[in-house]
Amino acid sequence: MSDDKTKTESKAEVKSEDPKGETPKETEASTKKDGDEAMTEAQKEENAKKAEEERKKREELKKKYANWPLKGIKDPHENDVMYGRGGGTNHHPGNKAYRKMVEDRKLEYVNSKRLDKPLVALEIIRTWRGQLPPGRFLKLDEKTGLWNDVGDKKAREKTSQALREKAPLIRKQQEEEQDKDGKGAVSAILAVTFHSIRCLDDSWFHFFKICRRMAMPR
């Protein structure tokens, strides 16, 4: 009896030391969770700090390029689109980036309503000019040998023209894909019908057979 009493008292003492009754695994899991939360908070603070630094850096660049020249430019920047023909302009980094930007919006332009199409071009120009340093659309002055910005109106005309390039081909490809999908759906319906009317007379059977062959995608 005395031994049982001693064991009971010992268990009571253990419980009093650990009122929650947590096992070592539960304690470890709780510690890990606290550590993860602390790490998450630290990451949030670090991300917020980086975002603030990026914002300040952008503001500084805006001030630096506030008076970015639009005329009498001797050396175009990589954020500039250079008007003209030939390898010199085609291989300019700004022209390459601009062509990619236009290419990425062509499908949207083709599928837009007529009144919405100019908005796509304007958005491209706004994005291009919003770079740091600001993007420009430059044309060479043959007399001075210097480059001048053509302005938003001519930039929009150039951008709209670039968006229209290969537009008929894009529309044709879309129509072919839609036609193919439509024929596939019709073919599936006819296939079900074809099997369901096999019990009908030969004339109806051959009629649906011909229809099914005509609807099959080629």
Side-chain angles (χ1 to χ4, degrees), residues 15-74:
K15 287 184 179 180
S16 63
E17 291 175 0
D18 186 11
K20 293 182 180 179
E22 292 182 347
T23 65
K25 288 184 178 180
E26 290 174 339
T27 304
E28 183 181 351
S30 177
T31 304
K32 186 176 183 300
K33 183 180 179 182
D34 294 339
D36 292 341
E37 289 178 355
M39 187 180 296
T40 302
E41 290 299 323
Q43 288 176 344
K44 287 181 179 179
E45 292 178 4
E46 184 66 22
N47 292 338
K49 184 179 178 182
K50 287 181 179 179
E52 181 62 20
E53 290 176 354
E54 187 67 25
R55 187 189 67 79
K56 288 182 179 180
K57 183 179 178 181
R58 187 168 180 82
E59 290 298 324
E60 291 174 359
L61 289 173
K62 281 184 178 180
K63 291 179 181 178
K64 179 180 178 180
Y65 298 119
N67 297 317
W68 194 238
L70 296 176
K71 292 184 177 182
I73 299 156
K74 184 178 180 181

Side-chain angles (χ1 to χ4, degrees), residues 199-210:
C199 58
L200 297 178
D201 58 63
D202 291 341
S203 59
W204 278 103
F205 179 76
H206 288 298
F207 171 74
F208 276 97
K209 191 174 181 181
I210 293 170

Side-chain angles (χ1 to χ4, degrees), residues 4-216:
D4 294 339
K5 185 177 181 181
T6 304
K7 290 180 181 179
T8 303
E9 290 174 352
S10 299
K11 289 181 180 179
E13 289 176 1
V14 171
K15 287 184 179 180
S16 63
E17 291 175 0
D18 186 11
K20 293 182 180 179
E22 292 182 347
T23 65
K25 288 184 178 180
E26 290 174 339
T27 304
E28 183 181 351
S30 177
T31 304
K32 186 176 183 300
K33 183 180 179 182
D34 294 339
D36 292 341
E37 289 178 355
M39 187 180 296
T40 302
E41 290 299 323
Q43 288 176 344
K44 287 181 179 179
E45 292 178 4
E46 184 66 22
N47 292 338
K49 184 179 178 182
K50 287 181 179 179
E52 181 62 20
E53 290 176 354
E54 187 67 25
R55 187 189 67 79
K56 288 182 179 180
K57 183 179 178 181
R58 187 168 180 82
E59 290 298 324
E60 291 174 359
L61 289 173
K62 281 184 178 180
K63 291 179 181 178
K64 179 180 178 180
Y65 298 119
N67 297 317
W68 194 238
L70 296 176
K71 292 184 177 182
I73 299 156
K74 184 178 180 181
D75 298 313
H77 193 270
E78 62 181 12
N79 288 355
D80 294 330
V81 177
M82 299 168 64
Y83 278 54
R85 298 181 180 278
T89 57
N90 288 337
H91 296 297
H92 180 67
N95 288 51
K96 289 181 178 180
Y98 170 76
R99 284 198 298 269
K100 186 181 185 307
M101 187 180 291
V102 171
E103 196 67 29
D104 290 343
R105 303 291 297 271
K106 273 190 177 181
L107 191 60
E108 177 188 353
Y109 180 84
V110 169
N111 293 327
S112 294
K113 296 179 181 178
R114 184 175 62 85
L115 295 177
D116 293 335
K117 290 183 185 295
L119 299 178
V120 179
L122 289 173
E123 286 177 9
I124 292 174
I125 295 170
R126 189 180 299 113
T127 301
W128 188 259
R129 293 209 184 274
Q131 299 178 95
L132 293 172
R136 300 171 293 196
F137 296 84
L138 304 180
K139 186 176 182 180
L140 181 66
D141 186 335
E142 298 290 348
K143 294 181 180 179
T144 63
L146 300 176
W147 296 82
N148 301 316
D149 191 280
V150 300
D152 285 350
K153 183 180 178 180
K154 288 188 177 180
R156 181 177 61 80
E157 291 173 357
K158 176 181 177 63
T159 303
S160 296
Q161 181 182 356
L163 286 166
R164 287 194 297 270
E165 289 178 359
K166 297 182 181 179
L169 180 61
I170 295 174
R171 289 194 192 95
K172 185 178 179 181
Q173 289 175 344
Q174 286 185 315
E175 289 172 0
E176 287 177 352
E177 290 176 0
Q178 291 173 358
D179 188 51
K180 185 178 179 181
D181 293 340
K183 282 189 175 181
V186 172
S187 178
I189 295 171
L190 286 175
V192 175
T193 309
F194 179 79
H195 288 291
S196 64
I197 64 166
R198 292 184 71 105
C199 58
L200 297 178
D201 58 63
D202 291 341
S203 59
W204 278 103
F205 179 76
H206 288 298
F207 171 74
F208 276 97
K209 191 174 181 181
I210 293 170
C211 290
R212 183 188 178 199
R213 190 182 302 118
M214 292 175 63
M216 289 290 287

